[in-house]
């Protein structure tokens, strides 16, 4: 064990020599070097682009991906404001940035601004009313926030001080529960050890003013992400398994967090298997380890977890969450580097690939960190390696299909060049999402006094529909759609089966 610890310390203190040693030992592949230099020394990662997003990354059928924002180096945790803007923590830059919502409808964030700086490695953030809570590595602070303006509305003030920020897993994650309590996760100082600070490797709970702090769960080596299942209110937390025990052991974990439970670290790994380096638990008479409810592959490094509002999605997403797998740093072959979906079924929790392609044959283009669902229902994913935010929408259009006979006639009679190679099924799904997101059914739902869109294809062609959307008659508002969105909405209005 001592030899392995020396190697690990060398990696942390001397990045170049440590990486060279790992390559020589066969512990990592040279293709991972750029990623490790990015993590350890802040060297630049790959550039995110629309071309990479469209050509490299994969989603399940019925979902669409776009690059929402780039040039946000070291983007980590996410939280939406009540005004629809996105906050992004950047621990290594010591700031929180505000990503302005896409008000002009071009599929991109309108602006990226520094909201607050000069913080000490901020990671977790959450809202309680108009208070924004920020988890620095040695304290928790809060500040009033004006959601309408997207600006701070007061001075930043600490509410929990005296936390320790030393060691390997210095980050802090803070969330506000439905009980209006502040929950705080803190990682361990080490790979495997007994902690001197009993608050490390735990989940804690406080009142919103920082008082009445208590440890509610222990033995959590590095639970960076946690969230509550909406169907039963239970808390689930990801946890990173220990290192330096080979490529495939131990598994990383998803734990269901309950008050008073001990989750095993540092004396147990995975399904309560004793750790060979630690020996028996000296407190075995007073506690027993709680096994994880799901195991991820070893060294996949699960970070952010978010339960979904899957309204309008396929039925098997009704009870589901997305988890960002940051990816391995100490495996002979890279693994992880994706977002997976977890599905709660009668048979247990099923894991599936959701957003993949960040790692291809050792070539690493990104590292997912956190996931947030926006007020528009879309999924937003941070990538600290490429410095990007991705946006995922469901465009499958359950129960909606193209009237092929109508489509053939309209396309044949049209002079619109874009129709020649158009993917009508994809456009139909995108158009349905636009129709839903913008509340079009409120005026076009077929009710009394509403404008009837039935058999619209008998009256208008694509060009005429698009012209009507760009210059609508009152009281219909003007929507700032881009050209593809106009095309998608025209396909939905003309071809859908009602």
């Amino acid at each position: 064990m001592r030899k392995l610890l020396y190697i690990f310390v060398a990696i942390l203190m001397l990045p170049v020599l440590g990486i060279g040693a790992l390559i020589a030992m066969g512990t990592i592949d040279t293709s991972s070097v750029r990623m490790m230099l990015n993590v350890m020394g802040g060297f630049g990662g790959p550039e995110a682009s629309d071309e990479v997003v469209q050509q490299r990354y994969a989603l399940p059928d019925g979902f669409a991906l776009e690059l929402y924002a780039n040039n946000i180096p070291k983007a980590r945790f996410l939280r939406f404001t009540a005004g629809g803007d996105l906050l992004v923590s950047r621990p290594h830059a010591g700031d929180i940035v505000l990503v302005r919502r896409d008000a002009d409808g071009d599929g991109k964030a309108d602006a990226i601004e520094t909201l607050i700086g000069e913080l000490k490695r901020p990671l977790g953030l959450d809202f309680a009313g108009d208070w924004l809570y920020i988890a620095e590595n040695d304290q928790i602070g809060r500040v009033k926030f004006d959601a309408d303006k997207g600006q701070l509305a007061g001075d930043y003030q600490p509410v929990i001080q005296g936390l320790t920020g030393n060691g390997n897993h210095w980050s802090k994650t803070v969330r506000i529960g439905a009980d209006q309590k502040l929950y705080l996760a803190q990682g361990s100082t080490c790979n495997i050890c007994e902690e001197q600070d009993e608050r490390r490797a735990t989940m804690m709970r406080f009142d919103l003013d920082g008082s009445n702090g208590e440890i509610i769960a222990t033995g959590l080596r590095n639970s960076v992400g946690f969230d509550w299942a909406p169907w039963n209110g239970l808390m689930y937390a990801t946890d990173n398994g220990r290192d330096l025990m080979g490529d495939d052991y131990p598994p990383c974990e998803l734990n269901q967090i309950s008050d008073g439970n001990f989750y095993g670290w540092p004396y147990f790994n995975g399904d309560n298997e004793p750790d060979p380096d630690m020996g028996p638990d000296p407190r075995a008479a007073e506690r027993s380890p709680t096994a994880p409810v799901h195991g991820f592959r070893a060294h996949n490094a699960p970070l952010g977890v978010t339960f979904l509002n899957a309204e309008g999605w396929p039925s098997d997403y009704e009870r589901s969450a997305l988890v960002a797998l940051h990816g391995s740093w100490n495996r002979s072959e890279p693994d992880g580097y994706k977002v997976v979906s977890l599905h709660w079924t009668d048979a247990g929790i099923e894991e599936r690939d959701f957003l993949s392609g960040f790692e291809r044959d050792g070539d690493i283009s990104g590292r997912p960190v956190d996931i947030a669902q926006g007020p528009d229902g879309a999924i937003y994913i941070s990538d600290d390696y490429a410095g990007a935010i991705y946006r995922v929408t469901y465009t499958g259009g359950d129960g909606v299909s193209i009237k092929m006979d109508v489509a053939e006639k309209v396309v044949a009679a049209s002079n619109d060049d874009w129709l020649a190679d158009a993917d009508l099924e994809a456009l139909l799904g995108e158009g349905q999402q636009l129709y839903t997101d913008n509340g079009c059914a409120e005026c076009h739902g077929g009710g009394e006094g509403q404008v009837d869109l039935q058999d619209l294809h008998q009256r208008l062609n694509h060009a005429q529909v698009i012209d009507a959307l760009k210059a609508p008659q009152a009281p219909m508002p003007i929507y700032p759609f881009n050209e593809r969105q106009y095309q998608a909405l025209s396909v939905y209005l003309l071809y859908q089966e009602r």
Side-chain angles (χ1 to χ4, degrees), residues 102-122:
D102 176 22
D104 60 11
D106 66 353
K108 304 290 185 183
D110 284 1
I112 300 170
E113 308 164 3
T114 300
L115 180 70
I116 182 172
E118 299 184 0
L119 301 172
K120 193 170 182 180
R121 290 188 169 186

Side-chain angles (χ1 to χ4, degrees), residues 37 70 77 85 104 122-123 133-134 148 170 256-257 269 273 281 299 327 331 335 356 391 413 422 429 434 462 476:
L37 290 174
N70 58 5
F77 264 46
D85 299 317
D104 60 11
L123 180 80
Y133 286 78
I134 300 173
D148 292 333
W170 45 262
Q256 192 268 298
I257 306 299
N269 300 302
E273 298 172 356
D281 179 6
H299 313 303
R331 240 183 146 269
D335 196 15
S356 59
R391 181 175 184 264
L434 287 167
H462 279 285
M476 180 175 170

Side-chain angles (χ1 to χ4, degrees), residues 12-319:
L12 294 176
M13 300 302 294
L14 300 171
V16 175
L17 293 178
I19 291 171
L22 286 176
I23 293 173
M25 294 167 60
T27 304
I28 65 169
D29 188 88
T30 54
S31 61
S32 300
V33 169
R34 183 181 183 184
M35 180 270 293
M36 293 185 67
L37 290 174
N38 172 267
V39 172
M40 296 178 181
F43 292 86
E47 180 180 356
S49 67
D50 292 318
E51 290 73 23
V52 168
V53 166
Q54 298 305 320
Q55 295 174 12
R56 177 162 180 152
Y57 301 143
L59 285 161
D61 290 343
F63 291 88
L65 178 69
E66 58 189 343
L67 178 62
Y68 185 67
N70 58 5
N71 196 28
I72 311 179
K74 298 291 187 178
R76 294 285 284 185
F77 264 46
L78 308 174
R79 192 65 62 221
F80 272 95
T81 74
D85 299 317
L86 180 62
L87 300 185
V88 183
S89 67
R90 301 198 308 157
H92 294 282
D95 63 13
I96 306 294
V97 300
L98 184 139
V99 181
R100 293 282 180 184
R101 64 186 180 88
D102 176 22
D104 60 11
D106 66 353
K108 304 290 185 183
D110 284 1
I112 300 170
E113 308 164 3
T114 300
L115 180 70
I116 182 172
E118 299 184 0
L119 301 172
K120 193 170 182 180
R121 290 188 169 186
L123 180 80
L125 61 168
D126 207 354
F127 285 98
D130 56 1
W131 283 106
L132 169 62
Y133 286 78
I134 300 173
E136 300 180 72
N137 78 328
D138 62 353
Q139 68 173 12
I140 310 301
R142 68 179 181 180
V143 60
K144 287 283 189 178
F145 181 79
D146 186 330
D148 292 333
K149 296 180 180 178
Q151 299 175 354
L152 300 184
D155 296 328
Y156 183 67
Q157 55 187 256
V159 292
I160 302 171
Q161 295 180 287
L163 301 175
T164 53
N166 60 308
N168 297 356
H169 308 125
W170 45 262
S171 70
K172 307 287 188 286
T173 306
V174 64
R175 294 292 308 274
I176 309 301
D179 56 2
Q180 289 303 291
K181 298 286 187 178
L182 183 153
Y183 289 80
L184 172 64
Q186 313 182 60
S188 65
T189 61
C190 61
N191 177 41
I192 187 80
C193 69
E194 270 285 2
E195 294 289 355
Q196 298 301 308
D197 182 348
E198 68 173 1
R199 300 169 299 178
R200 298 297 290 268
T202 70
M203 183 73 69
M204 298 187 68
R205 180 169 55 213
F206 300 80
D207 291 341
L208 292 180
D209 62 2
S211 63
N212 297 317
E214 58 179 336
I215 296 172
I216 63 171
T218 59
L220 297 165
R221 179 177 176 272
N222 191 25
S223 288
V224 179
F226 59 96
D227 197 10
W228 290 265
W231 60 87
N232 58 18
L234 296 179
M235 177 193 283
Y236 292 84
T238 59
D239 197 13
N240 287 205
R242 64 160 292 186
D243 299 313
L244 305 176
M245 294 188 72
D247 275 2
D248 301 314
Y249 188 82
C252 293
E253 300 176 359
L254 181 76
N255 291 296
Q256 192 268 298
I257 306 299
S258 295
D259 285 15
N261 280 7
F262 167 57
Y263 291 90
W265 184 87
Y267 294 98
F268 300 90
N269 300 302
D271 194 13
N272 296 339
E273 298 172 356
D275 189 278
D277 294 325
M278 292 301 295
D281 179 6
R283 298 174 57 189
E286 61 187 90
R287 66 184 184 185
S288 298
T290 300
V293 294
H294 177 71
F296 301 97
R297 286 169 59 85
H299 313 303
N300 274 201
L303 299 182
V305 54
T306 296
F307 284 92
L308 300 174
N309 175 359
E311 184 178 354
W313 287 29
S315 59
D316 55 346
Y317 285 89
E318 182 177 350
R319 293 189 174 189

Side-chain angles (χ1 to χ4, degrees), residues 87 101 161 182 214 243 259 276 312 314 332 349 357 388-389 396-397 421 430 435 440 451 454 471-472 474 494:
L87 300 185
R101 64 186 180 88
Q161 295 180 287
L182 183 153
E214 58 179 336
D243 299 313
D259 285 15
S332 58
I349 298 175
I389 307 294
D421 299 314
E430 294 174 28
Y435 189 88
C440 299
V451 178
Q454 188 75 26
L494 290 170

Side-chain angles (χ1 to χ4, degrees), residues 359-372:
E359 184 274 317
R360 288 188 176 182
D361 298 323
D363 176 42
I364 300 165
S365 61
R367 306 189 75 193
V369 177
D370 196 23
I371 301 148

